[in-house]
């Protein structure tokens, strides 16, 4: 059973970004499922690595979108990405060093950050892109990313 269900309130009306956000939700659900089955300690390092890798991909996609459309809030938005990347890297390093990570706390941090970021910073760029004529829903894939 999934703990984190995709909800239309998380949609930024850009299919590719919504799909990427849904992938991040799926990774969190994978961790939750492992916790429910008592296997979190065995898989958390791998899942954190996948979260980190996917965040790098997703953030690059957003930043390319901002560059193409001249989004004036790009630097501020990029700065919001840094804490998630840093925290995820730190958690992964602690795990590799054998210091252990509390999976429930990790899951809560990741979900809280993702939900806040989507509902705040990500939703903030939507009106700007609409004014720039970005094609929402149809043709929303960004070439070269």
């Amino acid at each position: 059973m999934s703990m984190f269900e995709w909800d239309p309130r998380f949609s930024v009306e850009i299919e590719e970004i919504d799909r990427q956000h849904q992938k991040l939700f799926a990774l969190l659900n994978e961790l939750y499922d492992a916790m429910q089955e008592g296997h979190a300690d065995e898989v958390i390092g791998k899942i954190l690595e996948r979260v980190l890798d996917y965040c790098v991909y997703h953030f690059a996609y957003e930043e390319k979108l901002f560059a193409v459309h001249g989004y004036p809030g790009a630097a501020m938005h990029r700065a919001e990405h840094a804490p998630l990347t840093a925290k995820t890297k730190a958690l992964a390093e602690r795990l590799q060093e054998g210091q252990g990570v509390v999976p429930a706390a990790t899951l809560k941090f990741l979900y809280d950050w993702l939900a806040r970021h989507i509902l705040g910073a990500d939703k903030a760029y939507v009106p700007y892109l609409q004014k720039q004529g970005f094609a929402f829903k149809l043709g929303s894939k960004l070439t070269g990313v």
Side-chain angles (χ1 to χ4, degrees):
M1 178 179 192
S2 296
M3 181 175 185
F4 306 111
E5 295 293 330
W6 178 258
D7 183 298
R9 71 187 171 112
F10 290 116
S11 177
V12 294
E13 301 179 35
I14 301 171
E15 287 182 46
E16 180 61 15
I17 290 179
D18 284 348
R19 186 190 63 75
Q20 291 173 15
H21 287 159
Q22 289 169 2
K23 172 70 173 179
L24 290 168
F25 273 72
L27 288 168
L28 296 182
N29 280 318
E30 191 176 326
L31 178 57
Y32 174 75
D33 290 345
M35 289 170 61
Q36 294 300 99
E37 297 167 7
H39 302 294
D41 291 340
E42 300 161 21
V43 299
I44 192 170
K46 291 176 187 171
I47 294 172
L48 283 173
E49 185 176 315
R50 288 172 50 212
V51 167
L52 187 57
D53 289 346
Y54 202 78
C55 283
V56 168
Y57 167 77
H58 170 66
F59 295 162
Y61 183 91
E62 279 188 340
E63 291 167 16
K64 172 91 174 194
L65 181 66
F66 299 159
V68 167
H69 294 281
Y71 179 53
M76 185 180 296
H77 193 98
R78 187 173 30 257
E80 283 200 22
H81 291 162
L84 178 66
T85 302
K87 178 76 169 179
T88 305
K89 280 182 183 178
L91 290 170
E93 287 171 5
R94 282 181 48 205
L95 185 65
Q96 286 177 346
E97 294 168 358
Q99 295 179 12
V101 176
V102 178
T106 301
L107 187 63
K108 181 173 177 8
F109 165 78
L110 294 172
Y111 174 77
D112 288 349
W113 186 93
L114 181 60
R116 248 189 342 268
H117 184 73
I118 292 171
L119 294 173
D122 285 355
K123 291 269 189 174
Y125 62 67
V126 172
Y128 177 83
L129 292 177
Q130 286 173 330
K131 287 179 185 173
Q132 299 303 306
F134 181 74
F136 284 75
K137 292 296 182 189
L138 298 175
S140 59
K141 291 227 181 212
L142 184 61
T143 305
V145 178

